Amino acid sequence: MNMKKIVAMLLALCMIVSVFAACGGNETSTSTSTSTSTSTSTSESAPADDESEEKVVDTYTYNSYSEALGTNWNPHTWEMNADSAISGYVLAPLADLTIKDSEAGEYQWIFVAAEDIKDVTAENQADLTKYNVVLPEGVTADQVTESYVYEIKLRPEMQWEDGTPINADSYIYSMQQMLAPEMKNYRANNYYSGESALAGAYNYFFSDAETIMKTPADLGYASVQAAIDDGKTVLLNMWSFWGMEGAVDADGNECPEYVDVTDTHIYIDPADNSEVSAADIFAAYGPGYLEVGGSYHAELAIELVNEAFGTTWDAVGLYKVDDYTIRYVCEVAYAYDYFLTSMTSNWLVHEELYEKCKDTSGSLVTSTYNTSAETTLSCYAYRIESMQDEKQIVYVQNENYWEYEKDEDGNLTSTTFFEVDGELQPQFQTQKIVVDVMTSDAAKLAFLSGKLDDWTPAADEVVEYTTSDQLYQVDETYTMRLFFHTNLDSLKKMDESGNQNSVVLSNLKFRQAMSQAINRAEFVTATAGYKQSFSMLSSLYFYNVYEDPTSIYRDTEYAKQAIVDLYGVKYGDGELYATLDEAHDSITGYNVTEAKRLFTEACAELVEAGLYTAGEDIVINMGWMAGAMDSSNSQQITLLNKYMNEALEGTGFGKIELIGLDNLADRYKDVASGTYAIGFGAWGGAAFYPFTMFQVYCDDEYVTYIHEEGCWDPAVETLTMDVNGEEVTMTWKEWSRCMAGTGAYATADFDTKLAILANMEREMLAKYNFIPICTTTACSMLSYKLSYFTEDYNIMYGFGGIRLMSFNYTDAEWAEYVAEQNGEIAY
């Protein structure tokens, strides 16, 4: 996702460490401010006349902002980072990472909603058979002693803000709803697939249909025609492919979603009232256009008997032991630290409220749970006090959260139940959090006048504060990239409706030249501190982080060699560079001479193929961003156009105009489906286990859709590589899974895994289905009113989060300070 703007609120939050879905790391800051006050205290005022002495209660409010508020923080269905930001305040994690020794950079696991989590596989081997876990080849259940069955001892003190107790039944109910076949919840894939999948969850989730749809590719066919020749009935999705949902035939019968590609029954196209059948569509565009390897293969399916039909909940490996203990049976072996990482999120919902929020009127059961203040109850440190759509959200301390105590004045105070830097520390000093919706320009004015406690400067503003102790610049895992739709037929259709000569993107050399033409060092000057990149994975990916915090993938010889090979840089005796490191460090990804050569060759190939007329201009719409453009975005697009036109000059091509479009609902899907030829966005996450990163590029069962779906079919396309002296060929989808779960190399040594990962990175980049440009950073300013616990960021715990954040001023003292500065704070 495009993480162009990370609100400082999220930097302060760091209450949930997300390493398998999407979040990142940082650089250190030199701020020297320290906390001068403790959690909610009182001070005495002078008596007034004969009145008794009055106590003035100090208050601590954190004022933040966002350009948009989340709309759905339901743990079962949330999608956007703005949604998860709200969850971070109101939904307690079972486990969390925090500071142990800030000077040494040591982290520690703490249990929050859980009291303890332990591996109990050895004592519960029967569960492996009962729930049909996937064991390594040749291994029997009685030989397994660890990493499958985890016992979660729940904290008895946990309750919802309304006082409703939280126990084992609460967690069982919540997971039943998460995986409910009739709901098809978006976030269920975290529990029915991937490393943390519950045994039996997949079959339960897909148990409601007697038949299922599998694409010809899923079944191993090289083409649609091959499946038809084998006697399979191939179905065309008339709704999504041809927009026929709601269409009727002459007798008023509605068009089914899937229709046999040989079916000649006529339906009336609602778009233009033309008559069309599945056979017409298939004949008009042909098996070549609807090829398994083409951009629309997912719209073709074969209906099969669902062997999981009728699977019941008792087949799922989550069960109650006693009122405050549950057991979680993993489908595949899952090491303890990684399992704890998956427990930094939670699937818990409030049963009574969740049921009240259900809507059973549609084909799927839905829920409005956690979409407003009224449909939300907290079980964490803060609760939602009020919310105005697209205006403001206000959080206050949740007095029913177990970590709080009341002082003699009734104020909520808290001290860590674990030692940080060798002692217990004050925590959750923030009593109220106010998040206002405002633009970056408005936020800047509010921050500099003391009304906001954080602000994210735009690219051209960061330089003004580079020497400020209050600037925090944090590296993230996200790599921003241009990604493409290269299917020729789709590009031709785009050229009929908005683009001009976008067919040039079907040429590999053209896309490769685009990459070489980009001056990444200059491009990042138009961003909020982003860093240039020409690889897929940034320097924040660790291959063995729990045992070796320095195990950075990007620093390995395998990763460096992959990029050196991609760019063809030579090193060694008689070469310009003596060592691999020197060769790697020389790469910038920017070579106008090479770009011109590639553009020239691409032009000749396109002209010869009759796809392009030399000298004609090129106009391509790009799906740029979900929100509204700001000056930084406009500058970035201007730079891209400058780079391309400089490199295109004298190559046979005319001028190019890349047009960035904003306020898009889903540019990723729009590029994949062929609405736009180019998109701009990022993939990130999986920082602690990069060996599964390729699933987002290759596995359509792991992600909702593949962003580069309009370029290739990883379920069919193969890759051959040498693995420990053996030549191995698998589809890209299979390679992407090979180091996860029970994959062929899941238990291989790190040298083997790193070699596979680096080979895949090199070969994937060489396809130029996307072009890496820069890695993201989150730059924010923090007011003098507040201090993070540590100035040295660590990917494991951030700066200590809002849990350990402290105040240098009470609200009253800050107001006084701002007045002394005449409402103009200098940073």
Side-chain angles (χ1 to χ4, degrees), residues 173-194:
Y173 166 82
S174 298
M175 186 60 80
Q176 286 176 323
Q177 301 308 304
M178 171 69 86
L179 295 171
E182 68 274 14
M183 299 188 78
K184 293 292 183 287
N185 286 312
Y186 181 79
R187 288 292 163 184
N189 68 335
N190 291 332
Y191 299 96
Y192 71 69
S193 67

Side-chain angles (χ1 to χ4, degrees), residues 642-820:
K642 182 186 82 167
Y643 303 148
M644 296 306 138
N645 282 301
E646 286 177 352
L648 283 170
E649 188 174 353
T651 65
F653 286 108
K655 291 186 177 298
I656 192 171
E657 182 181 8
L658 302 174
I659 302 172
L661 304 178
D662 59 359
N663 293 311
L664 303 176
D666 192 341
R667 65 193 183 282
Y668 299 100
K669 188 173 184 179
D670 288 341
V671 173
S673 65
T675 302
Y676 303 118
I678 304 177
F680 184 64
W683 270 122
F688 296 170
Y689 198 75
F691 305 113
T692 59
M693 178 65 180
F694 278 86
Q695 284 188 271
V696 300
Y697 293 94
C698 303
D699 192 345
D700 55 4
E701 294 180 50
Y702 181 76
V703 291
T704 306
Y705 54 87
I706 295 167
H707 294 178
E708 301 78 24
E709 195 171 276
C711 302
W712 69 319
D713 188 347
V716 173
E717 227 174 281
T718 61
L719 171 65
T720 300
M721 70 172 81
D722 181 284
V723 182
N724 297 327
E726 179 187 1
E727 191 173 89
V728 181
T729 300
M730 290 192 284
T731 67
W732 278 87
K733 182 175 180 178
E734 289 168 336
W735 279 115
S736 76
R737 293 176 165 189
C738 76
M739 293 177 283
T742 57
Y745 302 103
T747 60
D749 58 78
F750 283 120
D751 276 339
T752 300
K753 289 182 178 180
L754 289 168
I756 293 172
L757 180 64
N759 270 311
M760 291 183 71
E761 182 178 29
R762 181 190 65 242
E763 295 302 316
M764 179 76 79
L765 287 168
K767 291 180 178 297
Y768 291 93
N769 291 339
F770 57 86
I771 298 172
I773 298 179
C774 52
T775 57
T776 65
T777 59
C779 293
S780 69
M781 297 288 292
L782 189 68
S783 79
Y784 297 124
K785 180 181 178 183
L786 296 161
S787 288
Y788 293 128
F789 187 87
T790 178
E791 299 297 315
D792 298 319
Y793 187 92
N794 188 299
I795 193 173
M796 307 299 271
Y797 51 69
F799 296 108
I802 202 167
R803 177 187 284 274
L804 297 174
M805 178 187 283
S806 60
F807 280 72
N808 305 312
Y809 299 83
T810 67
D811 291 348
E813 289 167 348
W814 180 248
E816 183 179 345
Y817 171 78
V818 171
E820 290 172 355

Side-chain angles (χ1 to χ4, degrees), residues 123-138:
E123 305 96 301
N124 296 277
Q125 290 174 325
D127 284 346
L128 308 185
T129 302
K130 179 179 179 180
Y131 296 106
N132 296 310
V133 305
V134 181
L135 298 173
E137 187 175 350

Side-chain angles (χ1 to χ4, degrees), residues 534-734:
F534 31 81
S535 59
M536 291 176 65
L537 283 76
S538 73
S539 60
L540 288 177
Y541 285 86
F542 300 81
Y543 60 86
N544 188 22
V545 70
Y546 293 117
E547 295 180 13
D548 179 7
T550 67
S551 59
I552 298 170
Y553 164 69
R554 199 77 268 152
D555 290 344
T556 67
E557 289 190 7
Y558 298 102
K560 292 177 182 178
Q561 189 69 56
I563 303 305
V564 167
D565 289 346
L566 177 72
Y567 283 92
V569 182
K570 304 295 184 182
Y571 65 93
D573 293 342
E575 301 293 346
L576 180 61
Y577 303 105
T579 66
L580 172 61
D581 284 346
E582 289 178 8
H584 180 266
D585 292 345
S586 73
I587 297 171
T588 65
Y590 178 49
N591 188 330
V592 176
T593 301
E594 179 66 6
K596 283 184 176 293
R597 183 186 70 80
L598 289 165
F599 273 138
T600 301
E601 291 181 9
C603 184
E605 290 175 3
L606 288 161
V607 170
E608 183 179 355
L611 296 173
Y612 175 74
T613 301
E616 287 189 349
D617 289 342
I618 302 164
V619 179
I620 303 177
N621 288 314
M622 301 186 297
W624 193 260
M625 61 188 298
M629 291 271 191
D630 61 18
S631 59
S632 298
N633 300 122
S634 298
Q635 188 180 355
Q636 291 160 26
I637 295 168
T638 298
L639 286 172
L640 285 177
N641 276 292
K642 182 186 82 167
Y643 303 148
M644 296 306 138
N645 282 301
E646 286 177 352
L648 283 170
E649 188 174 353
T651 65
F653 286 108
K655 291 186 177 298
I656 192 171
E657 182 181 8
L658 302 174
I659 302 172
L661 304 178
D662 59 359
N663 293 311
L664 303 176
D666 192 341
R667 65 193 183 282
Y668 299 100
K669 188 173 184 179
D670 288 341
V671 173
S673 65
T675 302
Y676 303 118
I678 304 177
F680 184 64
W683 270 122
F688 296 170
Y689 198 75
F691 305 113
T692 59
M693 178 65 180
F694 278 86
Q695 284 188 271
V696 300
Y697 293 94
C698 303
D699 192 345
D700 55 4
E701 294 180 50
Y702 181 76
V703 291
T704 306
Y705 54 87
I706 295 167
H707 294 178
E708 301 78 24
E709 195 171 276
C711 302
W712 69 319
D713 188 347
V716 173
E717 227 174 281
T718 61
L719 171 65
T720 300
M721 70 172 81
D722 181 284
V723 182
N724 297 327
E726 179 187 1
E727 191 173 89
V728 181
T729 300
M730 290 192 284
T731 67
W732 278 87
K733 182 175 180 178
E734 289 168 336

